[in-house]
Amino acid sequence: MGARGLYRTAMADLDMIRERDPSILSRTEALLHPAVVAIWGYRVAHRTHLRGLRRTARLMSTVARVVSGGIEIHPGARIGRRFLIDHGTGVVIGETAVIGDDVTIFHQVTLGSVGWWHDQGRPEGTRRHPEVGDRVVIGANATLLGAITVGPDAVIGAQALVIRDVASGARVLAPIAEPRPRRTHRTQNHRRRAPVAADRARRDHDNTSVTFPTW
């Protein structure tokens, strides 16, 4: 890719941030978005990785991670165009992850493996991380593990744990928390006293019926 191609890619990244983040009003402001540092750092590191300079690529990735506030993208991952990491902190993208075009993910998303104790038994070159299709949205703190495939236009909700393939256009949502009455020391004492009070009232009623005849 020549200088003109790099320029077009950079402008497309900035325009993409303006389109998807209402708080960004200009390309200049988009330059301060944490996703810019992470994505541009990844693009340089990925090209370096493909040339066989793995240690240099890892160094670039580490610097981008520090500057972006904790977005860790392995240089070996393959990421498509117009990729947005909104807010960004705590994102982890593994070495063999594949991400399509126009994908949006939020903070604390993990595209990881199922663990080295499983992956060391795989043949060399086998994919260990998720493959995410075009236009997929992944909510905050979602975790996708293993060599699964997420089809295009799917939505992964916040807090979801995904370890199986997801069909195109599907929605995967985590259970929603339901409010419950708060159990305090006072309410617990009230619950303990309630049966005693009811039994006492019943005895008083029985005694009253004996003391006062029903004439």
Side-chain angles (χ1 to χ4, degrees), residues 202-213:
R202 180 174 52 78
R203 288 201 306 269
D204 292 344
H205 179 269
D206 294 342
N207 293 336
T208 301
S209 63
V210 171
T211 305
F212 299 96

Side-chain angles (χ1 to χ4, degrees), residues 181-196:
R182 184 181 179 187
R183 299 186 64 182
T184 63
H185 180 70
R186 183 175 180 180
T187 57
Q188 290 177 355
N189 289 338
H190 177 73
R191 290 179 179 178
R192 292 194 194 100
R193 292 170 183 167
V196 176

Side-chain angles (χ1 to χ4, degrees), residues 3 19 71 82 84 98 102 113 126 133 150 182 200 202 211:
E19 293 171 2
I71 300 174
R82 297 180 298 278
L84 174 62
V98 180
D102 296 300
S113 68
T126 303
V150 180
R182 184 181 179 187
R200 184 180 300 167
R202 180 174 52 78
T211 305

